[in-house]
Amino acid sequence: MAGNETGKLPQRIGRIEDVAYNLWWTWNPSARALFKSMDMTLWRETNHNPVRMLGKMRAADLRDRAKDPAFLQAYDSVIAQFEEYTAPDRATWFKRSHPEHQGMIAYYSAEFGVHQSLPIYSGGLGILAGDHCKTASDLGVPLAGVGFMYPEGYVQQRLGIEGWQQNHYERLDRASSPVRPACRPDGSPCVLTLDIGGWHLKIAVWRVQVGRVPLILMDTNVEGNDLRDREVSNRLYGGDRSTRLRQEIVLGMGGLRVLRELGLDIRLFHINEGHAAFMLLERLRELVAQGRSFAEARRVLSGEVVFTTHTPVEAGHDVFEEPLIEEYFKDFWPSLGLDREAFMGLARVPGEDGWNMTALALRLAGRTNGVSRPNGEVCRKMWRKLYEGRPAAEVPITHVTNGVHLPTWVCQSMAEVYDLHLGKDWKERQDDPAMWARIAKVPDEAVWEHHARRKHDLMNFIRSQVRARWMRDRIDPMQVLAHGSMLDPDALTIGFSRRFAPYKRATLILRDLGRLRQLLLDPWRPVQLVFAGKAHPADDGGKKLIQQVYNLAKDPEIGGHIAFVEDYDMHKAHYLVSGVDLWLNNPLAPLEACGTSGQKAAVNGVPNLSILDGWWEEGYNRQNGWAPKATTHLPEGERDDADAQGLYDVLEEQIIPLFYDRGRDGVPHGWVRVMKESIQTVGPVFCSDRMLKDYVAQLYLPGKLARKEATVAA
Ligand SMILES: *Cc1c(COP(=O)(O)O)cnc(C)c1O
């Protein structure tokens, strides 16, 4: 609990608590600086969590701050910005462009990545949801997120000496997190009972404020629920099939009841991936209960729902066995006026068994999209089977390419370069190519100096992580090496950080060790690799890949040229995407839905070396990074080798020579040209303002929502 509740916070600076409880501070540089200036040590110790920091500060220190004129001046300025930003009558982009719009959009997602202090995300899908909410807040799009307040969050990663990922969970200390109970319009805390198929369970509801956008987060760890029910919301992607089903029932059906209970005027639903698709059934039930036939209800529903599908990887789509579905829904389908066959038919894929959540959503949502141009194509091909085998081009799945929230992902020192050279209002004009074109005029030295500083920060950060781990656990000295304590700040540093899902092929670059070793150990032009990423807690395949990287990182011969940074999260991502020299991505095409980490790197002036897939297929222009030759025409078994050789070729022939080609001033001017090109071309297109404006124009706008009957999936 922060200061006010304990009466510790002096009144003069009392509103700092409102800022601490609104994650707006995470993307406002003055607010961040204000917290940091309160107590640098505690700020670090709490992993940049102001709620916890305020709770830990001594009353005497807080009183000192309240008397310090410099602090008060900064405080007043932050509060003024905060009030202006959150003012209900603020003339936001959305208000100006769509003054006629009424009501809210509910955005459902199983994960939300908003800040490292809320571990309710696992990777790109969650970060996308977080960036979507932050952008909605900036642009004034009236949106509310719906998800879970997982008490144990997502897995934390510790690596043993053998490099095996040990799954570690920590209970979230809610009192020192930016989380408050969600209240009904009358001010009472919202707790409700979900009753489905004779299963009763209580749901508590929490609220996290993300600028102007509320996240409504459910939690079943509630007095009155039995142990099994308490565990429903325990962990993100934890538990067995039946827990997963219960979780999704709560997310979808519980989520809608909660929105009603909170009295929000929801006019549109956006479902981020299939996990929340049960909300469609609950909405149908409402519509039928109002007296409509099922067919009418379905038509209305279709006009209210946007569904975004992401992964083409089979395991990414939830399929439940029909008997399990029957257990929960046999008393439910009559309320839709359906029998078992018709009900099960809503989520069946022709020729396959089981209840498929993605099929359910594709059938019932009026508008559906993939998350990059190639992903749109892949999804249309993949789901033709739901549309009577129509040609892929006629399958009604469009695409909106993901973008990243620049105020979150552009590091502070690069933001200062932009402030100076692009104009103070660069964040408001982020989707304007003309504004970004000014980067060409920035002196190379300024860009390079910024990057050198940032790289230095990354190395320091990595060392401080290793030091902390050594102090706490007395890890083996070989692990101190493997975790990156010996990295060379001058060597070409390649970053690879993301979930260790097999299709992302984290170990591809290790495939020809002989060739790689020559690159790493070159005395004049050394290269080093920094890896980070978690495997899903139940994915032994992913854990083996981590182990393979780790064993090389410990190898005395390669010693220090490969590092594995433990426990990847948003905090570490900030350092990595801006502090390495080159961002590597090598998925097995076309399985990367979009891949947003490369966008984060690019807007920080870190060029991409990536296989052509996902967003890079749209973003690559031959001058803003590198792409090895495509190998999609080869048989599957030959592609790993061919792709790996392609990476080494580009590294040897183009990347390494360019990086080490220094002018007399020590600046690699050719390299800086790629950095600038990367900023200039990626900034305006792969920013989240562009993304959200696309969603509004193509998928959200009410007039466009109703889709012709003929295109509704059979
Ligand atoms: C951006 C981000 C991702 C997504 O990375 P991809 O390369 O798109 O898979 C994953 N994890 C974290 C912590 C991120 O910040």
Side-chain angles (χ1 to χ4, degrees):
M1 204 68 47
N4 261 357
E5 270 100 323
T6 54
K8 191 169 71 168
L9 203 55
Q11 198 181 353
R12 175 69 178 82
I13 57 170
R15 294 218 55 204
I16 202 160
E17 195 169 65
D18 298 341
V19 180
Y21 273 94
N22 188 324
L23 290 165
W24 167 81
W25 73 262
T26 63
W27 73 95
N28 180 284
S30 327
R32 281 200 310 263
L34 184 73
F35 286 127
K36 195 167 160 186
S37 76
M38 288 188 85
D39 189 328
M40 190 62 193
T41 312
L42 266 182
W43 182 243
R44 288 234 176 92
E45 229 178 84
T46 60
N47 230 335
H48 303 186
N49 177 348
V51 175
R52 176 171 293 171
M53 183 179 77
L54 290 175
K56 284 193 159 192
M57 278 185 76
R58 294 182 320 170
D61 289 337
L62 287 166
R63 280 197 302 273
D64 281 350
R65 299 299 178 279
K67 284 188 225 132
D68 171 357
F71 181 81
L72 289 176
Q73 195 183 7
Y75 168 83
D76 290 338
S77 153
V78 167
I79 297 301
Q81 288 179 55
F82 181 62
E83 284 181 348
E84 192 201 326
Y85 184 90
T86 49
D89 57 352
R90 182 159 168 259
T92 60
W93 168 82
F94 188 77
K95 229 180 227 161
R96 281 182 277 122
S97 29
H98 304 287
E100 77 294 347
H101 182 88
Q102 291 191 339
M104 293 182 79
I105 301 157
Y107 182 93
Y108 279 76
S109 180
E111 38 177 315
F112 285 93
V114 277
H115 187 252
Q116 60 260 17
S117 58
L118 279 179
I120 56 172
Y121 62 93
S122 78
L125 182 76
I127 311 286
L128 173 75
D131 281 4
H132 198 96
C133 292
K134 290 170 180 173
T135 312
S137 169
D138 290 342
L139 295 178
V141 177
L143 187 127
V146 181
F148 277 116
M149 183 74 259
Y150 304 102
E152 292 195 350
Y154 191 57
V155 67
Q156 294 181 15
Q157 178 188 59
R158 303 271 162 80
L159 297 181
I161 176 76
E162 298 306 329
W164 193 251
Q165 169 176 308
Q166 293 150 7
N167 301 333
H168 186 82
Y169 290 91
E170 215 165 274
R171 282 200 91 69
L172 182 74
D173 175 12
R174 216 162 19 228
S176 57
S177 308
V179 177
R180 282 174 163 154
C183 293
R184 297 191 181 86
D186 67 6
S188 60
C190 179
V191 178
L192 61 130
T193 303
L194 181 71
D195 179 353
I196 170 118
W199 176 44
H200 310 270
L201 118 152
K202 278 201 175 139
I203 303 174
V205 190
W206 303 92
R207 179 181 177 119
V208 169
Q209 199 62 31
V210 182
R212 305 162 66 90
V213 168
L215 291 188
I216 311 295
L217 303 174
M218 292 175 283
D219 173 8
T220 65
N221 187 9
V222 181
E223 191 92 24
N225 282 345
D226 66 20
L227 198 61
R228 186 153 170 244
D229 288 346
R230 281 170 176 253
E231 298 215 324
V232 165
S233 74
N234 201 26
R235 294 172 180 177
L236 171 61
Y237 305 142
D240 55 10
R241 294 308 293 161
S242 132
T243 306
R244 185 68 169 263
L245 174 64
R246 288 162 162 249
Q247 215 173 42
E248 296 191 4
I249 290 173
V250 175
L251 178 61
M253 310 187 78
L256 187 54
R257 304 243 179 120
V258 166
L259 291 171
R260 300 302 186 221
E261 195 81 10
L262 293 173
L264 300 178
D265 174 20
I266 305 293
R267 304 284 177 97
L268 184 70
F269 301 92
H270 184 173
I271 306 180
N272 186 37
E273 200 61 301
H275 313 111
F278 283 125
M279 83 53 46
L280 296 158
L281 300 182
E282 174 64 9
R283 179 65 186 140
L284 281 172
R285 189 196 59 78
E286 283 184 351
L287 290 165
V288 169
Q290 288 162 7
R292 291 182 184 79
S293 70
F294 178 75
E296 279 166 358
R298 188 170 167 176
R299 203 158 34 243
V300 173
L301 176 78
S302 163
E304 295 176 333
V305 182
V306 173
F307 171 56
T308 302
T309 178
H310 297 246
T311 184
V313 177
E314 286 298 336
H317 301 271
D318 280 311
V319 181
F320 297 106
E321 291 179 0
E322 286 183 8
L324 191 60
I325 294 291
E326 179 157 8
E327 206 181 294
Y328 289 92
F329 287 94
K330 63 178 176 308
D331 296 334
F332 178 85
W333 60 64
S335 66
L336 302 185
L338 299 180
D339 59 16
R340 184 184 190 281
E341 260 319 281
F343 182 75
M344 293 296 178
L346 291 174
R348 260 191 211 135
V349 175
E352 292 173 24
D353 284 335
W355 172 276
N356 185 310
M357 295 296 281
T358 308
L360 177 70
L362 287 172
R363 279 216 177 80
L364 295 180
R367 293 251 154 188
T368 56
N369 69 294
V371 290
S372 69
R373 192 175 62 211
N375 179 242
E377 270 167 42
V378 170
C379 292
R380 285 190 290 276
K381 264 195 216 125
M382 180 170 178
W383 295 106
R384 278 179 60 191
K385 51 196 175 187
L386 288 190
Y387 303 84
E388 297 156 341
R390 241 184 273 185
E394 287 173 30
V395 170
I397 301 177
T398 179
H399 76 271
V400 172
T401 304
N402 291 342
V404 292
H405 186 247
L406 300 189
T408 296
W409 291 108
V410 172
C411 71
Q412 184 56 27
S413 58
M414 191 49 114
E416 283 163 17
V417 173
Y418 295 166
D419 282 344
L420 195 63
H421 296 281
L422 304 183
K424 280 270 179 215
D425 61 346
W426 66 272
K427 287 173 197 159
E428 284 76 51
R429 300 180 51 196
Q430 58 181 264
D431 52 349
D432 173 7
M435 188 272 296
W436 287 98
R438 294 187 202 144
I439 196 76
K441 299 238 168 63
V442 182
D444 286 0
E445 303 75 55
V447 173
W448 187 244
E449 245 170 55
H450 143 76
H451 180 68
R453 245 193 342 262
R454 195 56 195 159
K455 191 169 173 186
H456 195 79
D457 290 347
L458 168 66
M459 304 283 165
N460 275 341
F461 175 72
I462 291 178
R463 269 197 303 277
S464 74
Q465 297 288 310
V466 184
R467 199 179 302 121
R469 184 80 150 86
W470 166 264
M471 300 286 281
R472 196 180 59 216
D473 304 319
R474 294 293 162 205
I475 46 174
D476 188 279
M478 287 320 282
Q479 292 185 279
V480 174
L481 170 74
H483 293 201
S485 56
M486 301 276 266
L487 290 168
D488 171 1
D490 295 321
L492 170 60
T493 304
I494 304 176
F496 183 103
S497 319
R498 48 182 60 82
R499 290 181 304 117
F500 270 55
Y503 78 91
K504 291 180 182 270
R505 300 191 297 184
T507 56
L508 191 78
I509 188 108
L510 313 176
R511 201 160 171 91
D512 184 342
L513 269 183
R515 214 171 157 189
L516 177 66
R517 196 176 282 128
Q518 287 197 339
L519 300 183
L520 299 183
L521 302 182
D522 185 310
W524 307 111
R525 304 188 306 183
V527 174
Q528 55 196 5
L529 297 168
V530 181
F531 289 89
K534 300 173 187 174
H536 182 281
D539 176 18
D540 283 356
K543 290 182 190 170
K544 282 194 183 121
L545 296 177
I546 292 173
Q547 189 168 43
Q548 204 182 328
V549 174
Y550 202 73
N551 284 339
L552 277 178
K554 281 190 315 188
D555 184 339
E557 200 210 335
I558 294 195
H561 292 263
I562 297 181
F564 193 99
V565 176
E566 259 182 337
D567 201 33
Y568 192 48
D569 67 357
M570 288 180 76
H571 191 45
K572 284 161 192 152
H574 276 118
Y575 281 96
L576 282 160
V577 297
S578 56
V580 299
D581 298 307
L582 182 72
W583 196 253
L584 173 67
N585 193 17
N586 43 236
L588 184 67
L591 296 182
E592 185 74 286
C594 179
T596 49
S597 65
Q599 303 171 348
K600 300 170 195 164
V603 294
N604 280 292
V606 173
N608 281 264
L609 162 58
S610 170
I611 300 253
L612 284 174
D613 195 10
W615 80 281
W616 192 231
E617 222 177 294
E618 295 172 51
Y620 175 59
N621 75 351
R622 294 173 179 275
Q623 270 129 42
N624 59 358
W626 295 272
K629 264 204 247 28
T631 62
T632 29
H633 57 283
L634 292 177
E636 184 102 10
E638 295 171 25
R639 289 186 48 204
D640 286 356
D641 273 328
D643 281 336
Q645 296 300 335
L647 290 178
Y648 302 129
D649 288 346
V650 184
L651 279 166
E652 284 168 5
E653 290 159 19
Q654 302 176 37
I655 294 176
I656 298 171
L658 192 68
F659 182 80
Y660 283 106
D661 180 13
R662 304 297 159 101
R664 226 171 289 157
D665 53 4
V667 176
H669 292 280
W671 184 268
V672 173
R673 202 170 313 128
V674 182
M675 293 175 70
K676 287 182 180 175
E677 181 74 17
S678 164
I679 293 168
Q680 179 175 339
T681 56
V682 174
V685 183
F686 301 98
C687 59
S688 57
D689 274 14
R690 192 277 308 146
M691 168 180 77
L692 192 63
K693 287 178 181 177
D694 279 357
Y695 270 106
V696 169
Q698 298 173 30
L699 296 157
Y700 285 175
L701 269 194
K704 296 200 169 184
L705 260 173
R707 200 173 61 176
K708 280 198 210 82
E709 189 84 354
T711 59
V712 171

